[in-house]
Amino acid sequence: EPEVTQTPSHQVTQMGQEVILRCVPISNHLYFYWYRQILGQKVEFLVSFYNNEISEKSEIFDDQFSVERPDGSNFTLKIRSTKLEDSAMYFCASSDGTRGIQDTQYFGPGTRLTVL
Amino acid sequence: DAKTTQPNSMESNEEEPVHLPCNHSTISGTDYIHWYRQLPSQGPEYVIHGLTSNVNNRMASLAIAEDRKSSTLILHRATLRDAAVYYCILSSGAGSYQLTFGKGTKLSVIP
């Protein structure tokens, strides 16, 4: 069964450094998402991406964050200058876009980001 | 956003049915009811969704109240693998595909 994959599984970085989290969505999917989950807290929406542009973003997704689909398979989340509070599990998801608000989102296993 | 209310936790014995409730009294006529779950140390996973009629799939059943102000996710025979946090989520509205997760219900399955 097709699945969303994410690399790396764990990323440790120093405060102020840039990090790029990578995701490979399911191949025929058209919508891509990033969510994050701080330890012990709710899963929070960050951004959705469709047709090579951001379609929605949350208040969390400020100028420090950016997303990109650099080629036909990868979808990346970049944090320009990491802060301690960016430490969280980051989940990528994708959906095929054929059923609108009924779309099923398929989540990857997550990347644990630790900012020291 | 339309809000949902779920119990913080529930317990079930293995191989017994589990009924997970969700209240959504401010649901709008076009909101779909989605259920996802998150197993320990994993990403969320789709379970089932519906609008008005009850729905069945290989994982679970979804019973939706006639007034749509509440719904119940039914796991017919709980297994240890079903121990997870279950989230009841309403679709955000026209043009918005984001999923708004609450705290969910943590289901423990007792062997």
Side-chain angles (χ1 to χ4, degrees):
Chain A
E1 188 172 321
E3 57 184 20
V4 175
T5 58
Q6 292 185 241
T7 54
S9 56
H10 191 191
Q11 173 94 48
V12 180
T13 190
Q14 295 291 326
M15 192 169 54
Q17 294 296 305
E18 174 184 285
V19 293
I20 298 176
L21 309 183
R22 291 184 166 79
C23 167
V24 179
I26 294 172
S27 64
N28 62 339
H29 284 189
L30 301 178
Y31 283 83
F32 315 112
Y33 312 84
W34 284 101
Y35 292 80
R36 79 171 186 192
Q37 186 173 31
I38 296 170
L39 187 64
Q41 297 189 25
K42 297 186 285 188
V43 177
E44 301 173 290
F45 168 79
L46 293 178
V47 65
S48 61
F49 192 85
Y50 169 72
N51 201 25
N52 272 328
E53 59 183 35
I54 290 173
S55 50
E56 281 184 278
K57 60 182 181 179
S58 71
E59 290 177 356
I60 303 167
F61 193 88
D62 62 21
D63 292 343
Q64 292 298 311
F65 292 89
S66 62
V67 289
E68 193 178 30
R69 188 152 163 82
D71 53 44
S73 59
N74 290 284
F75 180 51
T76 62
L77 174 70
K78 183 195 289 187
I79 309 175
R80 284 192 187 80
S81 178
T82 50
K83 307 185 188 84
L84 295 175
E85 54 264 37
D86 294 327
S87 294
M89 184 73 92
Y90 288 80
F91 295 107
C92 174
S94 69
S95 63
D96 64 18
T98 59
R99 304 184 70 191
I101 58 173
Q102 291 192 71
D103 259 9
T104 294
Q105 293 187 23
Y106 295 86
F107 286 77
T111 292
R112 179 168 299 285
L113 177 65
T114 302
V115 182
L116 302 176
Chain B
D1 288 340
K3 288 192 67 173
T4 62
T5 305
Q6 299 178 252
N8 289 333
S9 61
M10 290 183 66
E11 267 187 3
S12 171
N13 293 319
E14 196 177 8
E15 299 192 6
E16 296 204 348
V18 184
H19 291 232
L20 297 164
C22 180
N23 287 319
H24 29 78
S25 58
T26 59
I27 191 170
S28 74
T30 55
D31 280 341
Y32 280 81
I33 302 156
H34 302 259
W35 283 81
Y36 282 75
R37 71 181 184 180
Q38 188 174 20
L39 278 63
S41 302
Q42 295 191 28
E45 172 187 39
Y46 169 79
V47 178
I48 201 166
H49 78 282
L51 183 64
T52 55
S53 305
N54 294 344
V55 185
N56 299 296
N57 66 21
R58 63 176 178 82
M59 287 180 74
S61 296
L62 177 60
I64 301 172
E66 204 169 319
D67 63 6
R68 299 208 329 123
K69 293 184 187 297
S70 65
S71 60
T72 302
L73 178 71
I74 302 164
L75 306 179
H76 296 287
R77 282 178 73 240
T79 68
L80 296 178
R81 198 200 172 269
D82 292 320
V85 179
Y86 287 79
Y87 301 99
C88 169
I89 300 169
L90 302 184
S91 51
S92 301
S96 173
Y97 296 170
Q98 66 174 276
L99 295 174
T100 302
F101 289 81
K103 294 182 180 177
T105 296
K106 183 173 182 178
L107 175 67
S108 301
V109 179
I110 302 164

